[in-house]
Structures are given as C-alpha cells and as structure tokens.
Amino acid sequence: MLDPVLFRAHLADTADKLRARRGFALDVAAVEGLESERKAIQIRTQELQNLRNTRSKAIGQAKAKGEDVTGLMAEVAGFGEELKASETRLAAIRAELEGLLAGVPNLPDVSVPDGQDETQNREIHRWGEPRGFDFSVKDHVELGELKKELDGETAAKLSGARFTVLRGGIARLHRALAQFMLDLHTGEHAYVETNVPLIVNPESMQGTGQLPKFEDDLFSLQLGEAKRYLIPTSEVPLTNLVRDEIVDASALPLRFTAHSMCFRAEAGSHGRDTRGMIRQHQFEKVELVSLCRPNESDAEHERMTRCAEVVLEKLGLPYRRMLLCAGDMGFSAQKTFDLEVWLPSQNTYREISSCSNCGDFQARRMQARWRNPESGKPELLHSLNGSGVAVGRALIAVMENYQNADGSISVPEVLRPYMGGLTSV
C-alpha cells in the first residue's frame, strides 16, 4: 500500500504517476471527497472529545463543591451521542478510504521505462548462444509424449485443463531441477531454506497484494467458517513471516528460499499457452524473498536477479534480462527484472523468472518493520521477491535445449549428481 500522505498532500502528482500503470486510473474525485469528509469529521470529533473531557472535569469539580451538576451531565450526554455518531462515521470513512487505496498499485521507480505492455520492455543483456540443430526440433510436449512421460490427457481426466502428469525420467529430471536450485541458493547464495504452508489466510494475501484486487486469480477453500487460499507463489507465506514484526537491524537482510507448489486460476489467460506446461493451474517454483533496509534494496534487487541468472548459466540455458516497463509490472512491484530463457521450438525467449523490488509497499500493508539503530524507532522494511526459478519452465527449457535427434534428452552436467549419474533420459 502506498503512503497515505501521497493522497493527502500530493494527490494530483500521485495520480499522474499512476497513469503509467496499464489500465489503472485513480478515482481522484472519490479520494478527494472521502478525504474532505474525513478531515471535517475528524476535526469535529476532536472538538467533541475536548468538550466532553472539559465538561467531565467540570462535573467532577462541581460535585466536589456540592453543586448541582444536572445541567452539565445533560450537556455531556448530548455530546456523547454526537461523538459516538462522529466516531462511527469516521471509522466507516477510514475503512472506505483504506479499501480504495488497497486497490492502488505501487508507483514505478524513476528508473523504470514508460510503456504499456511487454513490447516496450528494455533488454539489459543476454547470456549464451542458442544451439543450432541439424534435425527438426520438437517442443516439450512432443518430446514428452514420445517418451510417454509427459501426459496432459490423463491429467485432464483427473483434474481438467492446464494440469500435467509427469512420469519416469522426466519426473525425475523435474525433481532434480528443484533440488539443484535449492542447494545452489542455500549453499552459494546464503538464502535460508524454508518450508511454508500452501494454504494461507486472507491477511497473508492482503499483505503481499493479492487481495483484494486479484481474488479471481486465486483458488480458495472454506475451512469451517474460515476462508483460506492456496498460495499462488511461496512469496506470500515467506514475506508474511515478518508481518506485524519489528526486526532487529543486526538480522538484516533476511533472505529466504522455498520450493513449493503454486496454484493459479489463470483467470485472464484464456486461450494463452494452452499447450503443455507453460501456463498451468498447478506448478512448482523455487522462490527467493529478501527483507532489508530501505537503502539496501536496490543492491539486493540486483543480487537476487543475479542469483536467478546463475541457475540458468549453470544449466547452460541461453537467456536475456529484461527491465519491465511501467505498464507490464506486477501490482506490488516498483521495479522488475524478468529473465527470459530461450525455447528452440518457439524460436524466442520466454519468461522463466521475475525479480521485483516492492520497496515499502508490502511492508506497509503487513506492518513489517525494523528498528533503525540511529533513531531507535521502527521503520518500514523493503521487501523483494523473485523466482529462482520456475521449475516447470526450467524443465521445458532443458528438454528443448538438450534434445537429441532420437527424442532422448541429455542431462545437463550440473544435474547428473541428482540423477544417479544418468547422462540422458
């Protein structure tokens, strides 16, 4: 959530900056109307509170002198009714304002390019040369079906569209990728391995910005009278580990990684990537989350993105880093780097990791703070999250880039210890 001061003191400027976000227009009139009413009622509420306190004190003094306090008590009773009504209305206005502002995305960082969609993202650099093939390239679906180890048809029978059953060598390769990523991020990149719940409460979803705006993209369930949600990414539970906490400065930065199932309804992607494992309702990801001092978040963002790049380099997968334009960023991000891996069957790069600096946007929603030793006061943390990387998409990239003419798939050298020494599947 953005700082409310931006809407009170810099509303026009904030609205102008938010226009860079695709499809978003701040309802300035609604904010102005609510803010005007809030100020008026807040002033009147404070006046009534002061009057009540003054008259209550006068009643006490009059009683001490044995004087008649009937008139004063009647006056206080009248103040009390108006005060109660004012406090009730003030709470309702604040809730309405909070609900309105909860649907406002983060402001783009000054380094983020203008633009409305992915065509206006900026390439930062590339790594690796796409492999040349002397045979007809197959996509991951054809390779999996040839080996009868990637099965969308059976998954559809079990669950419906956008699910996949993996078997045999491909299932083992999928598992190896996740283990390799976890070992890399914990052993070389100093992230703390964390096992988190796959089901979270609404407060956790609100804390990272999935609620209230994106409820249609979530899978929910009812546990008794309580509503819960399947996580769309382990960013949600990992970031919420510090919700309503004040972290000691000496503990920062906090760096967490988790391998988890992820669940997304893909409500807005009808007709997109319906073939294979590119866009699934259920998938696996190794997530990276950092929580740090505000003045360190830019460097932490670069570090996190580099950690994800190392995964692809060790796997020998060509990729490029893209700086997303304002219109293509996620709701909570103020700056995002996407890593796009080369897919031979599509003759293009496709997203495999997204690393975002959210500034204090999520921390304000969560009241996640650190104690600044210089001031001794609690201040908002900065939060960052990134894919390190999406396991299913890494599997697709390995299958396609390491395919052989006979349909077999060579195992990247770095994965062979996790595959019992196998060199191909």
Side-chain angles (χ1 to χ4, degrees):
M1 186 177 293
L2 294 176
D3 188 342
V5 171
L6 293 172
F7 300 97
R8 293 170 187 164
H10 310 286
L11 181 58
D13 184 50
T14 301
D16 186 58
K17 291 177 180 176
L18 285 166
R19 289 189 186 95
R21 304 299 298 251
R22 178 173 54 187
F24 186 83
L26 181 64
D27 190 341
V28 173
V31 175
E32 285 179 330
L34 287 169
E35 269 297 321
S36 177
E37 188 178 1
R38 180 195 64 79
K39 288 178 184 177
I41 294 180
Q42 187 165 307
I43 290 171
R44 180 55 181 163
T45 301
Q46 290 170 343
E47 289 174 349
L48 290 168
Q49 288 170 339
N50 289 333
L51 282 169
R52 179 191 61 187
N53 295 338
T54 301
R55 295 298 188 273
S56 295
K57 186 176 180 180
I59 289 171
Q61 292 172 340
K63 281 185 176 180
K65 296 176 182 178
E67 298 174 354
D68 182 15
V69 295
T70 305
L72 285 171
M73 291 185 70
E75 188 179 7
V76 169
F79 290 154
E81 291 177 5
E82 186 183 351
L83 177 58
K84 184 177 180 180
S86 293
E87 288 174 337
T88 300
R89 179 56 186 155
L90 185 59
I93 293 171
R94 284 174 173 164
E96 192 173 349
L97 261 173
E98 187 172 325
L100 191 155
L101 301 185
V104 176
N106 205 349
L107 291 175
D109 186 76
V110 293
S111 62
V112 171
D114 289 334
Q116 290 300 302
D117 56 44
E118 62 185 18
T119 63
Q120 294 166 295
N121 294 340
R122 182 186 301 162
E123 183 174 323
I124 303 301
H125 62 244
R126 297 189 183 199
W127 183 91
E129 288 294 328
R131 173 187 168 191
F133 293 87
D134 57 6
F135 57 88
S136 179
V137 170
K138 296 180 177 63
D139 69 12
H140 71 285
V141 177
E142 294 172 300
L143 290 164
E145 290 176 345
L146 184 67
K147 300 171 66 61
K148 302 187 185 305
E149 292 181 350
L150 191 156
D151 187 350
E153 186 174 332
T154 299
K157 179 181 72 173
L158 299 174
S159 304
R162 296 188 187 275
F163 291 91
T164 303
V165 171
L166 301 179
R167 302 186 183 94
I170 290 180
R172 187 174 185 180
L173 189 60
H174 185 269
R175 172 164 56 92
L177 281 161
Q179 291 177 304
F180 155 67
M181 293 175 204
L182 277 179
D183 284 350
L184 177 64
H185 293 314
T186 56
E188 297 185 23
H189 298 156
Y191 286 86
V192 176
E193 183 171 352
T194 312
N195 192 294
V196 292
L198 302 182
I199 300 172
V200 297
N201 55 30
E203 292 80 8
S204 295
M205 288 294 192
Q206 289 162 1
T208 46
Q210 279 78 19
L211 288 178
K213 191 173 179 62
F214 301 104
E215 182 149 14
D216 288 346
D217 291 321
L218 305 172
F219 285 108
S220 63
L221 60 156
Q222 201 74 25
L223 297 179
E225 296 183 0
K227 191 170 188 178
R228 296 291 185 266
Y229 295 88
L230 297 176
I231 61 170
T233 162
S234 55
E235 168 205 342
V236 176
L238 288 175
T239 308
N240 275 275
L241 290 174
V242 295
R243 188 173 84 228
D244 297 321
E245 301 282 343
I246 300 175
V247 180
D248 191 88
S250 62
L252 298 174
L254 295 173
R255 297 180 179 126
F256 303 116
T257 186
H259 166 227
S260 76
M261 292 283 188
C262 305
F263 305 89
R264 296 186 185 176
E266 296 291 351
S269 63
H270 299 295
R272 295 174 58 196
D273 297 312
T274 55
R275 179 175 168 81
M277 294 178 62
I278 291 284
R279 198 177 297 273
Q280 299 270 279
H281 288 312
Q282 173 187 305
F283 59 97
E284 294 177 42
K285 188 152 65 97
V286 173
E287 187 73 6
L288 305 174
V289 162
S290 295
L291 299 133
C292 65
R293 297 173 177 86
N295 64 353
E296 295 177 348
S297 66
D298 287 340
E300 191 69 14
H301 189 203
E302 178 62 35
R303 181 189 188 278
M304 175 182 285
T305 308
R306 182 65 197 136
C307 290
E309 288 178 340
V310 171
V311 173
L312 302 179
E313 290 174 13
K314 285 184 176 291
L315 289 170
L317 297 172
Y319 70 87
R320 65 180 183 179
R321 184 197 289 201
M322 306 293 291
L323 173 60
L324 299 197
C325 69
D328 199 33
M329 288 196 303
F331 179 81
S332 296
Q334 68 178 28
K335 184 175 182 178
T336 298
F337 290 120
D338 270 8
L339 301 183
E340 298 179 347
V341 70
W342 178 256
L343 293 187
S345 69
Q346 298 185 20
N347 196 39
T348 193
Y349 293 91
R350 294 297 303 269
E351 179 200 336
I352 194 170
S353 172
S354 190
C355 298
S356 298
N357 184 353
C358 298
D360 62 12
F361 185 83
Q362 293 177 325
R364 183 171 287 104
R365 298 168 80 102
M366 297 186 300
Q367 282 302 290
R369 295 166 290 170
W370 67 295
R371 192 173 298 281
N372 188 330
E374 294 182 7
S375 66
K377 296 179 180 179
E379 298 178 8
L380 293 172
L381 288 161
H382 277 201
S383 64
L384 303 95
N385 63 80
S387 309
V389 296
V391 181
R393 293 196 178 189
L395 175 67
I396 292 169
V398 167
M399 289 175 67
E400 294 197 5
N401 283 279
Y402 282 88
Q403 65 180 287
N404 301 308
D406 63 358
S408 65
I409 300 158
S410 296
V411 176
E413 188 172 347
V414 74
L415 295 181
R416 291 175 188 175
Y418 300 93
M419 297 287 290
L422 289 176
T423 58
S424 68
V425 294

